[in-house]
């Protein structure tokens, strides 16, 4: 029971990100990471590279680089070469973002983790995302109580 509480304590408010398909709580609007983030419609089948990059707060060039490095990202391309990402691609990018940016793994280590034990990595990513949502809700409730 203590381990998950310590994990919540490690998460800083500025590092909180919400999955693209969820609603951003009003509590996040003040933080600069969320001010730069665009409101992305969730009913689309395909997303452009700029929309995906804004979901994670990274440059489009990093998404293109990860596409070359990881074979699990396979966006569709039109005749012009524009990339269009599905929700499955976005989930895979979220997993890579978690391993590389949040956990600090090297690309080779992240590639190996996905290849050898993908289910474990996905489950850990989902648990951390849900803990972040719970923490954000608790912080929002705390702010409402203090006001």
């Amino acid at each position: 029971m203590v381990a998950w509480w310590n994990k919540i304590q490690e998460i800083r408010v500025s590092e909180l990100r919400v999955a693209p398909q969820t609603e951003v709580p009003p509590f996040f609007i003040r933080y600069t990471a969320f001010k730069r983030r665009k409101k992305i419609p969730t009913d689309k089948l395909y997303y452009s590279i700029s929309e995906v990059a804004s979901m994670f707060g990274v440059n489009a060039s990093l998404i293109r680089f990860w596409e070359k490095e990881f074979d699990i990202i396979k966006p569709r391309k039109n005749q012009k070469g524009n990339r269009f990402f599905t929700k499955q691609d976005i989930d895979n990018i979220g997993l890579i973002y978690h391993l590389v940016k949040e956990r600090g793994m090297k690309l080779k280590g992240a590639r190996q983790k996905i290849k050898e034990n993908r289910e474990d990595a996905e489950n850990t990513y989902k648990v951390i995302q849900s803990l972040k949502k719970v923490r954000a809700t608790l912080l929002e409730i705390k702010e409402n109580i203090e006001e």
Side-chain angles (χ1 to χ4, degrees), residues 7-23:
K7 193 66 175 174
I8 291 175
Q9 296 295 331
E10 292 175 7
I11 300 170
R12 293 189 208 120
V13 174
S14 62
E15 295 173 353
L16 288 176
R17 295 193 187 276
V18 180
Q21 59 269 20
T22 60
E23 187 68 28

Side-chain angles (χ1 to χ4, degrees), residues 87-99:
K87 290 182 183 182
Q88 180 64 39
D89 291 327
I90 293 172
D91 291 340
N92 290 333
I93 291 171
L95 177 62
I96 293 168
Y97 181 88
H98 167 71
L99 293 173

Side-chain angles (χ1 to χ4, degrees), residues 109-126:
R111 209 177 303 120
Q112 184 177 4
K113 177 86 169 171
I114 290 171
K115 184 178 178 182
E116 291 177 357
N117 200 356
R118 182 176 176 152
E119 286 183 23
D120 183 42
E122 286 178 346
N123 290 337
T124 304
Y125 172 66
K126 289 176 184 177

Side-chain angles (χ1 to χ4, degrees), residues 13 16-18 24 28-29 31-37:
V13 174
L16 288 176
R17 295 193 187 276
V18 180
V24 177
F28 288 132
I29 303 300
Y31 296 100
T32 56
F34 290 96
K35 286 181 182 176
R36 286 179 279 160
R37 186 178 148 166

